[in-house]
Amino acid sequence: MLKQKGHEVNLILGSRSDIKLSHISSSDLIAISTTTSTVIEAYHLADFARSQGKKVIMGGAHVSFMAEEALEHCDYVCRGEADLTFTDLVACIERDELPWAVPGVSFKTAEGVVHNPRPDWVDINQVPFPDFSLLSSLKMSTYPVMTSRGCPFDCTFCSVTSMFGRKYRYRETESILEELQQYKGKQVFFIDDNFAANPRHTKELLKEMIARKTLPSWWCAQVRTDAARDDELLALMRDSNCGTVFVGMESVNPQTLKTYNKKQGVADIEYCIKRFHEYGIMLHGMFVFGSDDDTAETIDDTLEFALRNRIDSVQFMILTPLPGSRTFKELEEQGRILTRDWNLYDAHHVVFQPRLMSAYELQVKSMEAFKKFYSFPNIFGNLFLTGIRSAAFRALGFWMIRKWLRDNRWFYIYLNSLSAPVQTLGWKSRISKSIETFQLRKLKYFATEKLIHIEISQQEETFVLNLKGYLNDFSLGETFKTLYNNVPGMYQNFLINIEEVSFASEKVLIRFIEKLNNLAQRARQVEIKTALSRESISVVLKKYDLKLPSFNIN
């Protein structure tokens, strides 16, 4: 829409590690969309952009419900649906005016924070479909297409209805077909929260796709179990090349289904699996563990159910109190939320205190269920039922869960510490080391020359690394080797003091920045305390067209 109004627009999908300083410096305005589990990274990006003198707008589900938190990092927040208000906000910024009359916008004034009333629900037929040519650097294998917004249901753990409403709005069939025309022979994901919420409209679309031969080579969508009770719909899905459906099964505990306000039973789930398989369509079953009615046995029962009913692939998600959901409000009021480290709000880390299990038990049992489902003997379990794609998904799951377990060993220690705080064993409380180099003097004897002195200490949840001396290629490598060999698990907070460090060359400074970026990919937060100004580091980033730092400059 900005492009249609004559603006130059560049879209980047990713994080700071995908963005160069030139992307920021060459832009007049930065706009960032984020979910809850990516918002910390989004805040870092917003902070950096503002440090370069740029105005920043943020939008998306998380900041819609946490606007005042977001305004600590940006200039404006677009709450809710901003399709038809975003360009008005940009026009106000161009005129250097505050957006008093733009619905859904939050911003700060001298008198305090202003929250304009949310806009009306958008008529999505007024919204142009995405122009993916703006994502010039992104190679897409599957193209997202939206046919509707809103969900008539109201599951307690879901923030969709708070964000998009319970009124189900769908696009005109002709508009969808026009968008699909460019994806003939390609893979498509219909990204609706419930693709078949209006079966009549969905069947009309599928009939026209078939009649006009506007068919993807393969497509998938999210549906509820009730979609399996419509034989005509199932046949149309199969004939239009539907390969997989993502079904919110949620639980095999009847009481949990009631708690979640799911309005379906275990028999409905079993029937759904059976019917989609009869039509040759794969199922990805999504379950949520951790309700107030779940026990460890519930998780065991769910795993047994998934294997017995031959679900092709599963997500055993952990109940996550997302801002905007009733679950978040209830658990916050009950004082059961353990952390607001939004990085952990990805449905695979326990961030609240369950009622009938410990947080540690819920975490361990959920990941054990994942590992058992995606075990090597199960990879080819559905090969002769739904084909090689099912085996490929299970093989991917086999690799992903084991990688997750390796990368998240630290989290099990963290959960244990919440109930029984203990000093981490096996690590020194303070490390002091000097890195020296040997030099041959007067062809007679060796002498040592101190290059860098390292001190590592732990202050609460932060590891403090004090460096004094001279960094060249050798001492730089030895410094980070010392760090990795002496600090437990990389998901930690780091403060690295280089106020008394000199660099052998600009190239060594660049390599130091790269090593900090690598550390920041594995750590919760990395801050450096430096005598160098933020501007001098920016000069180096710009000179060599480097990507934005993943660490913070104190």
Side-chain angles (χ1 to χ4, degrees), residues 275-336:
R275 293 296 285 155
F276 274 108
H277 277 166
E278 287 175 352
Y279 281 83
I281 297 173
M282 285 172 46
L283 281 100
H284 178 75
M286 298 179 287
F287 296 89
V288 180
F289 297 147
S291 87
D292 282 355
D293 301 290
D294 281 353
T295 63
E297 288 72 28
T298 303
I299 299 175
D300 293 333
D301 292 344
T302 305
L303 173 64
E304 189 276 331
F305 177 91
L307 292 172
R308 173 167 45 84
N309 284 278
R310 302 181 70 181
I311 301 175
D312 296 277
S313 58
V314 298
Q315 267 181 292
F316 293 139
M317 293 178 283
I318 294 168
L319 182 65
T320 301
L322 295 173
S325 68
R326 274 187 284 160
T327 297
F328 178 81
K329 183 178 180 182
E330 291 168 1
L331 290 178
E332 187 175 50
E333 289 173 349
Q334 296 165 15
R336 291 168 59 190

Side-chain angles (χ1 to χ4, degrees), residues 81-85 119-127 149 169:
E81 296 179 314
D83 309 71
L84 305 180
T85 59
D120 295 333
W121 301 118
V122 169
D123 177 357
I124 55 177
N125 287 298
Q126 297 182 44
V127 179
R149 276 195 201 160
R169 294 160 286 153

Side-chain angles (χ1 to χ4, degrees), residues 150-154 161 165-168 194 197-198 224:
C151 180
F153 300 92
D154 191 21
T161 51
R166 294 186 66 176
K167 181 180 179 182
Y168 185 72
N194 186 353
N198 184 324
R224 282 175 54 90

Side-chain angles (χ1 to χ4, degrees), residues 296-540:
E297 288 72 28
T298 303
I299 299 175
D300 293 333
D301 292 344
T302 305
L303 173 64
E304 189 276 331
F305 177 91
L307 292 172
R308 173 167 45 84
N309 284 278
R310 302 181 70 181
I311 301 175
D312 296 277
S313 58
V314 298
Q315 267 181 292
F316 293 139
M317 293 178 283
I318 294 168
L319 182 65
T320 301
L322 295 173
S325 68
R326 274 187 284 160
T327 297
F328 178 81
K329 183 178 180 182
E330 291 168 1
L331 290 178
E332 187 175 50
E333 289 173 349
Q334 296 165 15
R336 291 168 59 190
I337 293 180
L338 300 176
T339 177
R340 282 207 181 193
D341 182 348
W342 304 123
N343 284 325
L344 302 177
Y345 280 58
D346 59 359
H348 295 303
H349 296 86
V350 179
V351 296
F352 75 102
Q353 178 57 56
R355 189 168 72 91
L356 301 179
M357 290 178 276
S358 69
Y360 183 82
E361 187 177 19
L362 175 57
Q363 185 70 49
V364 170
K365 293 293 292 185
S366 298
M367 293 303 119
E368 280 182 354
F370 252 131
K371 192 173 180 181
K372 289 176 181 177
F373 184 90
Y374 290 111
S375 63
F376 188 78
N378 288 334
I379 289 177
F380 299 102
N382 278 18
L383 182 62
F384 299 107
L385 180 65
T386 46
I388 191 65
R389 191 183 287 265
S390 175
F393 281 143
R394 288 191 176 189
L396 180 61
F398 175 89
W399 175 80
M400 288 180 69
I401 182 57
R402 283 154 182 81
K403 181 180 185 302
W404 190 96
L405 289 168
R406 287 194 303 272
D407 293 344
N408 288 272
R409 285 175 293 185
W410 62 271
F411 190 66
Y412 291 83
I413 299 171
Y414 168 74
L415 283 180
N416 259 336
S417 72
L418 292 179
S419 55
V422 294
Q423 182 70 30
T424 304
L425 300 178
W427 303 98
K428 300 175 183 177
S429 59
R430 180 175 292 274
I431 297 161
S432 182
K433 178 180 179 180
S434 291
I435 294 173
E436 301 173 335
T437 184
F438 290 95
Q439 291 184 338
L440 183 63
R441 292 186 177 173
K442 298 182 180 179
L443 302 178
K444 290 182 179 180
Y445 60 91
F446 285 103
T448 60
E449 179 185 359
K450 184 184 294 184
L451 291 176
I452 196 86
H453 183 73
I454 305 169
E455 284 190 358
I456 303 176
S457 60
Q458 186 173 359
Q459 299 177 7
E460 297 181 345
E461 294 185 357
T462 299
F463 283 90
V464 179
L465 177 66
N466 283 306
L467 301 179
K468 295 180 181 180
Y470 181 72
L471 279 179
N472 59 16
D473 283 333
F474 172 73
S475 58
L476 177 62
E478 290 299 308
T479 296
F480 277 87
K481 186 186 298 183
T482 300
L483 177 65
Y484 288 130
N485 287 341
N486 290 282
V487 174
M490 283 297 99
Y491 197 84
Q492 304 288 347
N493 297 326
F494 289 90
L495 174 61
I496 302 176
N497 187 344
I498 59 169
E499 288 181 308
E500 298 182 51
V501 171
S502 59
F503 293 87
S505 67
E506 204 171 69
K507 294 292 180 65
V508 174
L509 173 58
I510 291 170
R511 280 190 281 274
F512 178 71
I513 291 172
E514 291 171 346
K515 286 185 176 292
L516 286 177
N517 283 336
N518 290 336
L519 175 63
Q521 297 304 315
R522 305 166 64 186
R524 179 183 299 183
Q525 180 172 290
V526 174
E527 288 193 24
I528 63 167
K529 192 173 183 181
T530 175
L532 299 171
S533 67
R534 187 188 296 267
E535 288 71 24
S536 63
I537 292 179
S538 295
V539 167
V540 173

